[in-house]
Amino acid sequence: HVQLVESGGGSVQAGGSLRLSCAASGSIQRTNCMGWFRQAPGKERDWVATDNGVGTAYYGDSVKGRFTISKDSADNTLYLQMNNLKPEDSAMYFCAALWERYGSCTYQINYLGQGTQVTVS
């Protein structure tokens, strides 16, 4: 079983930055693929970024060049550095452990955290 706890959300003005953290516990050592998703009120949950655990990161088009995903394997923590934030980035952000298939990360969520709110005005 894996437990994911996000932190670091808050309110920020447009153009500002935030750094989200996701503390992972449990059998996380078996999970290479970790990612971030977000969901705004009344909208579907969208994929934001994935770290494949072997040095490659993937980003959604709307955040590419502004967000950076990283993982500290020593303390099992996933990060999302968000720069140049825009009002449309406002959402609940979720950390996720993703299913891996044939050596590649999928978008399928195995475990999901409780979320942290980001508001950009």
Side-chain angles (χ1 to χ4, degrees):
H1 182 69
V2 172
Q3 187 173 22
L4 305 171
V5 180
E6 302 93 335
S7 61
S11 296
V12 64
Q13 290 189 336
S17 298
L18 283 173
R19 189 193 196 200
L20 306 184
S21 299
C22 171
S25 60
S27 304
I28 196 64
Q29 291 85 353
R30 303 178 184 175
T31 302
N32 285 326
C33 300
M34 299 289 295
W36 290 95
F37 291 77
R38 66 186 182 185
Q39 186 169 19
K43 296 188 176 181
E44 293 185 350
R45 186 167 58 212
D46 289 331
W47 169 73
V48 174
T50 295
D51 183 302
N52 73 349
V54 288
T56 303
Y58 305 90
Y59 300 94
D61 288 341
S62 62
V63 306
K64 201 172 295 183
R66 300 187 298 122
F67 290 12
T68 302
I69 187 172
S70 61
K71 185 162 57 177
D72 186 335
S73 298
D75 63 3
N76 291 332
T77 303
L78 184 73
Y79 299 98
L80 185 68
Q81 177 67 43
M82 306 186 296
N83 298 328
N84 191 22
L85 282 161
K86 304 176 181 180
E88 51 264 41
D89 294 319
S90 296
M92 184 73 78
Y93 282 71
F94 300 89
C95 170
L98 303 173
W99 285 105
E100 185 176 340
R101 181 174 295 176
Y102 305 122
S104 297
C105 299
T106 70
Y107 297 111
Q108 294 176 298
I109 297 171
N110 188 2
Y111 295 98
L112 190 70
Q114 85 290 348
T116 185
Q117 179 67 40
V118 171
T119 302
V120 185
S121 59

